[in-house]
Amino acid sequence: MKSVRKIEITDILSLSFPIIIENLLQTLLGTTDTFFAGKLADDAIAGISVTNIIMNIFISFFTAISIGATAVVSRNYGKRKYEKVNHSIAQSIIVGIIIGLVVGMVCLVFSNRILQLSGVDRRVMKYAMPYYLQVAVPSVFLCLQLILSSCLRAIKDTRTPMFVTGFSNILNIILDMVFIKLGFGIRGLAIATTASRIVGMFLLFYKLKNHDVNIRFSKSDFKPDKTIITSLLSVGIPAGTEKLAMRIGQLVYNNMIIAVGVNAYVAHNIAGTIESYSYIPAMGFGLSISTLVGISLGKNDSRQAVRDTWTGYGLACIFMISVAVVFYFFGMQLASLFTSTREVQILVAEVLRIIAFFQPFSALVQIITSSLQGAGDTKFPMYSTFLGIWGIRLGVGYVFAIILHWGLKGIWYAYALDLTIRGIMLLARFCRGKWQTITL
């Protein structure tokens, strides 16, 4: 039994660590343009930030298809029905192309209105518009990159997306430096980002097309298949809606924090940036568990899916509790890396100490959500996210922060309450076992 558990832990770790590294590299990729924009002007940084906020909303749609692809492809991979694996991947690509092109067209036609709705003033618009057009309009390449990465993970290849993301990072940095020297300005940074995504997409497709695991596409695979597309969308749409609800909720959430005060808003963003690093291991374990659950259900081995989920949760807890210890004891030191204002440092340290105690619940939400999504049960996580974001974080947060005058600490108490209640709800759903009977 010990040797079996050791194999399970090794399998999860071998899948998770490349994803964790990939997520770190993705974070770096997102900050590279901001770094080089700082060499142009502060307004250039604001222009990039606005575009990234808008893109995060559109990425919710792309994520929908990537989650659907993971569930459907991994289930067929577990059944060793490789022809269906090929067909499912091809159908995911078709849907990704359509959604990516539609989003790109919307971004092009309504570019002015979208940026104006984001509150961009004339100074920032000068930088935001060229960057937005070069990055958002060709977003089909980002969409396909996300889907192809998910398809590779679904067949237990997490290393290729990691290596491709690393290469894209290097290429983006080199192109940023070249285009800045050539005087291309903000437009050059945008071209570098899009070019690195295009190259990354083709590398992922090449690897998938020439994979060791019987991935061989034929022309018939790319003929639209209503049954598979319906499966992809039935799994993906609730997952995408969940992400969209979270993104929009976060925008409203930020406006509420601004009402608390400028120092509170700055402290919240710094604390959020610091805390985001605790999510990276949980996301890595979550994505690997999603794949393993799908494969196990494809083999009709729901017990293995349950064991993998609990093992993944245990490993995620170890990492996140370790980070929580750092949050609790070194909050002031971490805050001082971002600001020299004493009042803001104290606020950051206080809220980091609050959330440190709730890291096990944060891990629970991430792992159980991923496990359910891997099984194709995406509606319940969507409902729980609506309740958590709009009912608890916004509703209870408003009561704590504004009515009871608890300030920023009230916001983070509501956040902790959200994690606790959602974690318990998702755990109850998982233990009921209905997810084990879902057919795709």
Side-chain angles (χ1 to χ4, degrees), residues 13 111 135 167 187-188 215 223 227 235 245 262 277 294 301 308 321 332 362 399-400 406 416 425:
L13 288 174
S111 55
V135 170
F167 180 79
R187 196 181 299 275
I215 305 296
K223 291 180 180 178
T227 303
V235 173
V262 175
Y277 283 91
D301 190 353
D308 285 337
I321 290 172
M332 287 289 288
S362 184
V399 173
F400 285 175
W406 291 2
M425 288 175 59

Side-chain angles (χ1 to χ4, degrees), residues 39-203:
K39 298 183 180 298
L40 298 173
D42 288 344
D43 288 339
I45 296 176
I48 289 176
S49 296
V50 168
T51 299
N52 288 337
I53 290 170
I54 295 167
M55 285 302 298
N56 282 336
I57 293 173
F58 289 127
I59 285 172
S60 302
F61 298 104
F62 306 157
T63 302
I65 306 307
S66 65
I67 290 174
T70 298
V72 175
V73 173
S74 64
R75 186 74 68 93
N76 287 315
Y77 181 73
K79 293 176 181 178
R80 297 189 178 183
K81 294 183 176 180
Y82 297 121
E83 288 185 5
K84 280 197 172 182
V85 170
N86 297 339
H87 200 46
S88 300
I89 292 172
Q91 296 303 303
S92 301
I93 292 171
I94 291 172
V95 176
I97 290 172
I98 293 170
I99 290 178
L101 290 175
V102 169
V103 167
M105 187 60 67
V106 169
C107 289
L108 177 63
V109 175
F110 300 102
S111 55
N112 272 307
R113 290 184 183 179
I114 291 171
L115 287 172
Q116 286 168 3
L117 283 172
S118 303
V120 176
D121 61 27
R122 289 182 180 179
R123 291 187 314 165
V124 175
M125 183 69 83
K126 173 185 173 184
Y127 294 97
M129 182 59 78
Y131 188 85
Y132 173 82
L133 290 174
Q134 297 289 338
V135 170
V137 174
S139 56
V140 63
F141 301 110
L142 173 60
C143 180
L144 289 174
Q145 195 172 18
L146 293 173
I147 290 169
L148 293 170
S149 292
S150 293
C151 290
L152 282 161
R153 293 190 202 103
I155 58 175
K156 300 181 76 171
D157 180 358
T158 57
R159 291 187 177 185
T160 297
M162 176 189 70
F163 288 128
V164 169
T165 301
F167 180 79
S168 295
N169 261 300
I170 295 169
L171 179 61
N172 190 41
I173 291 169
I174 292 171
L175 291 176
D176 277 345
M177 290 189 295
V178 170
F179 290 146
I180 286 287
K181 275 196 171 185
L182 292 174
F184 285 13
I186 193 76
R187 196 181 299 275
L189 300 182
I191 294 170
T193 296
T194 298
S196 65
R197 285 175 178 169
I198 293 171
V199 171
M201 182 210 70
F202 278 113
L203 288 174

Side-chain angles (χ1 to χ4, degrees), residues 352-414:
L352 286 177
R353 288 192 184 105
I354 291 170
I355 210 64
F357 287 100
F358 294 88
Q359 290 302 301
F361 286 100
S362 184
L364 188 64
V365 170
Q366 184 70 49
I367 298 301
I368 300 299
T369 296
S370 297
S371 181
L372 292 174
Q373 288 176 342
D377 185 358
T378 53
K379 288 184 179 179
F380 189 83
M382 176 187 70
Y383 298 141
S384 68
T385 297
F386 269 107
L387 172 65
I389 298 294
W390 292 90
I392 302 174
R393 289 200 202 183
L394 287 171
V396 177
Y398 181 82
V399 173
F400 285 175
I402 308 298
I403 296 177
L404 297 179
H405 303 290
W406 291 2
L408 185 62
K409 287 199 288 186
I411 297 286
W412 282 67
Y413 279 129

Side-chain angles (χ1 to χ4, degrees), residues 6 91 182 196 210 222 236 269 300 304 362 400 416:
K6 186 177 179 181
Q91 296 303 303
L182 292 174
S196 65
N210 296 278
F222 288 94
N269 281 288
N300 292 317
Q304 184 63 52
S362 184
F400 285 175

Side-chain angles (χ1 to χ4, degrees), residues 254-272:
N254 279 340
N255 289 334
M256 183 172 68
I257 297 166
I258 291 172
V260 176
V262 175
N263 282 343
Y265 183 71
V266 173
H268 174 77
N269 281 288
I270 291 172

